Amino acid sequence: MKSIYLVSLLLLLNLAHSGQTQTFASADPDRIALYPLQNDYRNTLSLSGMWQFRKDSLEVGAKEGWQNGLKESRSIAVPGSWNEQFTDMRDYLGMVWYEKQSYVPSSWKGQRIFIRIGSANYAAKVWINGQPVGMHEGGHLPFAFEVSPYINWGAANRISIQIENHLKPSRVPTGNVQGGPFSNFPKSNYDFFPYAGLHRDVWLYSLPAVASIKDITVKPGFTGTTGSLEVAVATEGKATRGTITVTGNGKKYEAPIRIAGNAATATVSIPDVRLWSPEDPYLYQVEVTVGDNKTTLDRYTLETGVRTISTTSTQVLLNGKPVFLKGFGKHEDFPIFGRGAANPVIVKDFSLMKWAGANSFRTSHYPYDEEFMRMADREGFLVIDEIPAVGLYFHGDTTELAQRQVMVKQYINELIKRDKNHPSVVMWCVANEPFPREVSVTGGPGGREATPKSIELFQEMFSLVKQKDPTRLAVLVGVMGGPSEWVGMSDIICINRYYGWYTHAGDMNGAVKLLSMEMDGLHKKFNKPVMVSEFGADTYPGMHSDEPEMFTEEFQTNFIKAYLDVAATKDYVAGMHVWAFSDFKTGQGIIRFGGVNYKGVFTRDRKPKAAAFYLRSRWNKK
Ligand code: BDP
């Protein structure tokens, strides 16, 4: 399999080199398994900062040779969404070009050089020094290509990236859907702004040429007080042996490995293990070195925790003990940055979630920046890690449906590749609010059918997840009015509910009655724990009323309290995630005042509304 990939890659590169055609290799998901690392065998060079930028609305750039030098360009910050940085680009989702010049340090000579792009939304093509290198579709996940043959040593290298974010029904998330549940502009088929651009760090990195570590998968477990880490290592090149060293809690454990067929596995036992949990998010260091009889050739170090996750018919168990998920659905969203990763915002969000007493969040509605996931490990958050499958549907054009299914599987592959060693990740989420025909977000009738085709496609997704990672839970998050057969496939029944808002508007008594009845019914039917993965009310900060009234801070507090009170009466409820952590940008539409979803308990710039104080007092109670 791997050699077929290599041959086709070389073929494509050859073709490209001969100048006959601009053919681009597809990104290999195995390349994103390990975050770039600087140590004594590997190098990294961040390309984040100012880039040159040019709009290509006629899509003529490639033909006109923009990869050979961008003329009439302007400056743009990376990471960051292009929609927020200029006065003329907010709603533009067509083609653009990014360019940056960089030297590669001469000390990297003789190593293999790669480019890694943290996230390009939505489809990207990459050239180095005018040579086509590769392409990738899908936002929110990284991709990487080897660029060794194209590097100019002792001179600047031109990196050109072409990106477009056309909204299409064949893409995931879906857009431009005829008769879809959203009527907003731009026509995304989901409730957040379709930000575009280079949203995360871009890196050059190097790997040792003779042999290198390609992937490390760590499976934690424990029996009694003895922990274990089963470490699987995949290599490239000529390494024949190596060592796995686990360090933590003042101790060091080593296991030698023999590498055959570029793979090796060893299990390391940890007596008196310190388990990872929200109360004590303890991380062990796992260091892998590989080499031959004489010398070490590569080294990679990662941090992970020892913990297990499972369920009973009523509870989620972390390390065999019940845990309740208190927290939020979130977005990567901040004024001016758009969806661009911003480390101060990451740190602030964790400090506010802790302040509020939360122990969990969902990466709605797409995978988050890798620094965010590393913070979750260190800060002890239980994460529902979601692929960008929002607004999925199963009716209409069958070719488009097949294309969407290819994309969701690619996302599952890439996400699990990237995030598999995070102890914080306890569940994979394969979809948010897939829509049956004619369901409406504002509470329309909804065709409640779960067609055989939709069941079959979800089964494919769930079995792919379980095959890639049998150690975690898998869920899909159901829409109000959606068929229970879909959510019933999850390990935990996750439902988004807005009784009291989109239906029973303002009538909280009616709302909670219905909520309570529906939850009982779902638990009875599926005999699995239930979690309300979204509930919330739009709240304009600073708007008040003596008796709670929609859009006021008092109403939001009351709404959240009412839902949490219902959950507190049911022993099968395993978690409650408020929608949303903070206000966030959406497209324009009549239900989104100023193009903002105001369901945040914090404002877009992270100021608490009254509900944030309420959660703080409730969730911090022992
Ligand atoms: C749910 C979606 C979420 C929306 C939310 C809302 O999962 O993305 O933002 O409702 O309407 O339908 O506020």
Side-chain angles (χ1 to χ4, degrees), residues 182 191-192 331 362 365 390 432-433 441 479 496 498 502 534 538 579 584 592 597 599:
F182 291 93
D191 185 36
F192 53 92
H331 266 294
R362 176 164 61 114
H365 293 308
V390 50
N432 177 73
E433 297 201 341
V441 261
V479 67
N496 296 348
Y498 291 92
Y502 291 126
E534 281 185 26
D538 285 81
W579 188 257
F584 58 91
R592 291 291 170 258
N597 183 314
K599 293 193 186 72

Side-chain angles (χ1 to χ4, degrees), residues 335-350:
I336 304 174
F337 290 85
R339 192 137 295 126
N343 288 334
V345 180
I346 294 177
V347 174
K348 182 78 179 179
D349 281 7
F350 276 96

Side-chain angles (χ1 to χ4, degrees), residues 196-489:
L198 291 174
H199 283 154
R200 294 178 189 157
D201 289 321
V202 179
W203 308 80
L204 288 177
Y205 67 96
S206 77
L207 297 180
V210 180
S212 59
I213 301 160
K214 195 170 186 190
D215 197 355
I216 302 169
T217 306
V218 186
K219 283 196 187 131
F222 70 95
T223 318
T225 56
T226 304
S228 65
L229 290 175
E230 184 194 308
V231 185
V233 180
T235 60
E236 290 181 277
K238 294 186 182 143
T240 52
R241 57 202 307 163
T243 313
I244 293 164
T245 312
V246 175
T247 314
N249 225 9
K251 301 233 172 63
K252 201 180 233 187
Y253 309 92
E254 273 193 7
I257 47 169
R258 290 248 158 229
I259 300 162
N262 285 114
T265 313
T267 301
V268 179
S269 280
I270 310 172
D272 296 319
V273 67
R274 190 163 160 191
L275 296 177
W276 184 96
S277 71
E279 296 73 39
D280 182 22
Y282 190 74
L283 298 175
Y284 283 88
Q285 253 195 20
V286 179
E287 182 184 275
V288 178
T289 56
V290 299
D292 53 26
N293 285 337
K294 287 183 244 124
T295 151
T296 299
L297 296 167
D298 191 16
R299 186 195 317 279
Y300 193 89
T301 313
L302 58 82
E303 287 190 320
T304 194
V306 182
R307 59 107 193 88
T308 59
I309 192 82
S310 57
T311 57
T312 67
S313 61
T314 55
Q315 289 173 320
V316 172
L317 305 179
L318 178 74
N319 302 327
K321 294 192 200 115
V323 65
F324 192 89
L325 279 67
K326 302 177 283 185
F328 302 96
K330 284 187 95 289
H331 266 294
E332 289 187 314
D333 175 277
F334 200 72
I336 304 174
F337 290 85
R339 192 137 295 126
N343 288 334
V345 180
I346 294 177
V347 174
K348 182 78 179 179
D349 281 7
F350 276 96
S351 104
L352 288 175
M353 285 194 287
K354 288 212 131 174
W355 175 90
N359 67 2
S360 176
F361 63 88
R362 176 164 61 114
T363 71
S364 37
H365 293 308
Y366 37 77
Y368 288 2
D369 186 75
E370 283 160 280
E371 286 298 352
F372 209 96
M373 304 309 287
R374 287 145 73 99
M375 274 294 277
D377 294 344
R378 293 193 292 263
E379 298 293 319
F381 276 76
L382 303 168
V383 181
I384 304 179
D385 204 359
E386 184 161 294
I387 64 165
V390 50
L392 283 186
Y393 58 97
F394 303 91
H395 48 273
D397 189 297
T398 51
T399 312
E400 289 169 358
L401 175 59
Q403 285 168 322
R404 292 197 290 274
Q405 190 69 0
V406 169
M407 271 320 286
V408 292
K409 287 185 185 168
Q410 178 190 313
Y411 283 135
I412 290 170
N413 274 325
E414 291 178 351
L415 180 63
I416 297 181
K417 261 286 159 213
R418 194 195 73 161
D419 285 355
K420 61 188 179 293
N421 294 324
H422 288 288
S424 56
V425 175
V426 291
M427 290 178 222
W428 305 110
C429 178
V430 302
N432 177 73
E433 297 201 341
F435 281 101
R437 192 193 294 269
E438 282 158 19
V439 85
S440 144
V441 261
T442 49
R448 275 148 222 238
E449 85 279 27
T451 57
K453 185 73 189 169
S454 65
I455 299 279
E456 179 196 319
L457 297 182
F458 279 131
Q459 268 162 356
E460 280 178 20
M461 292 183 219
F462 276 105
S463 52
L464 181 60
V465 170
K466 292 288 178 182
Q467 174 212 326
K468 297 268 161 199
D469 181 8
T471 71
R472 291 180 173 88
L473 308 176
V475 297
L476 83 72
V477 166
V479 67
M480 199 155 81
S484 66
E485 288 83 346
W486 290 350
V487 283
M489 297 165 90

